[in-house]
Amino acid sequence: MRERFSLYLDLIRWNRPQGWLLLLWPTLAALWLAAGGFPGWHLLAVFTGGTILMRSAGCAVNDIADREFDKHVKRTAERPITSGRLGVKEALVVAVVLALLAFALVLTTNALTIGMSFGALAIAVAYPYAKRVVAMPQAVLGLAFSFGIPMAYAAVRGHVPPEAWWLVAGNVAWVLAYDTEYAMVDRDDDLKIGIRTSAITLGRADVFGVAMFYMVSLLCWSQVGHMAGLAMPFWAGITMAAVQAVGHVWLIRGRDRESCFAAFRMNHWLGATWFAGVWAALPGGLTGSVGLM
């Protein structure tokens, strides 16, 4: 049982928290913005737990869908399903159980949030197959990674205002930036096996494309700050996030595999930085009473 449990943890990338952190920071930012401060322990627990559970389920679904492709990629050849240590049916059971646990959390919110969760699930399941037909499947991943934003607003306010969609647009652009960096690592292998990625589609414009994606994300988030009338701490967070983005573009300029992977792995710090700006600019942050106490 210990060995099986270890395989399950490997399947859901438990030892790589960067994945769920990339999902968590924009979701938390949406919660704080929707509530105008600390959203309460209930919603914080629902969206934190749901984010981790759905990312884990998504990893399992992705490995099931890509099991034949992963055999030909050095970085993924030893994944539990691809290596034959875990069966497809067993992995599917893991994914279903995790998704049901996430849905149980969503059931404690309101009808709009529950309804939106079905759309989130559909896009999460569709993403692994988008790599076969979409030139930039990272955009589909961006939508999957952004569904927590309108759901957060729906859970807090009962509707989704325009600023939420600016957050979504910024998050999709950010996902395109960091997942293109990730795709640059596997470009040679992906070309051989016929998978489509933004790194392949952009070709020699990949570094410029990543820079543009970062710029769009920061501009969209800045628009949210303007609409919400956020104070100076938010703009300090945006500025520090921009500095990190410039550093990432500089790091990938030579298209070295290790450098591209390092840039991707550091993106959760960029997300943490701009969430910190949101937190500090709202009541309960640096400009108000401490809402977490």
Side-chain angles (χ1 to χ4, degrees), residues 55-77:
R55 184 261 180 172
S56 300
C59 288
V61 172
N62 182 79
D63 285 8
I64 292 169
D66 286 353
R67 61 189 183 277
E68 294 302 323
F69 291 131
D70 286 345
K71 293 177 181 179
H72 306 285
V73 179
K74 182 178 180 180
R75 184 179 54 81
T76 60

Side-chain angles (χ1 to χ4, degrees), residues 45-206:
V46 166
F47 280 89
T48 300
T51 294
I52 295 172
L53 287 166
M54 281 307 298
R55 184 261 180 172
S56 300
C59 288
V61 172
N62 182 79
D63 285 8
I64 292 169
D66 286 353
R67 61 189 183 277
E68 294 302 323
F69 291 131
D70 286 345
K71 293 177 181 179
H72 306 285
V73 179
K74 182 178 180 180
R75 184 179 54 81
T76 60
E78 292 304 314
R79 285 178 174 174
I81 300 174
T82 306
S83 62
R85 293 174 294 156
L86 198 65
V88 171
K89 290 182 179 179
E90 193 173 1
L92 185 59
V93 169
V94 172
V96 169
V97 169
L98 292 171
L100 287 174
L101 289 173
F103 186 60
L105 290 174
V106 175
L107 287 175
T108 66
T109 61
N110 56 33
L112 178 58
T113 310
I114 294 169
M116 293 178 73
S117 71
F118 290 100
L121 177 63
I123 294 180
V125 172
Y127 164 67
Y129 301 95
K131 287 177 276 189
R132 294 150 173 81
V133 294
V134 180
M136 284 197 181
Q138 282 72 17
V140 181
L141 180 67
L143 290 174
F145 273 29
S146 299
F147 240 92
I149 294 170
M151 288 177 65
Y153 275 89
V156 173
R157 299 189 185 181
H159 70 280
V160 184
E163 71 180 48
W165 301 115
W166 281 101
L167 278 176
V168 168
N171 199 58
V172 170
W174 183 39
V175 173
L176 278 163
Y178 66 66
D179 210 57
T180 299
E181 294 169 347
Y182 192 55
M184 289 168 72
V185 177
D186 296 331
R187 177 166 23 210
D188 293 341
D189 291 325
D190 290 340
L191 281 168
K192 291 176 183 176
I193 60 181
I195 286 182
R196 300 184 179 188
T197 71
S198 55
I200 292 172
T201 299
L202 291 169
R204 298 302 294 179
D206 50 1

Side-chain angles (χ1 to χ4, degrees), residues 229-239 277 280-281 287:
L230 297 182
M232 184 54 66
F234 172 81
W235 300 105
I238 284 288
T239 301
T287 59

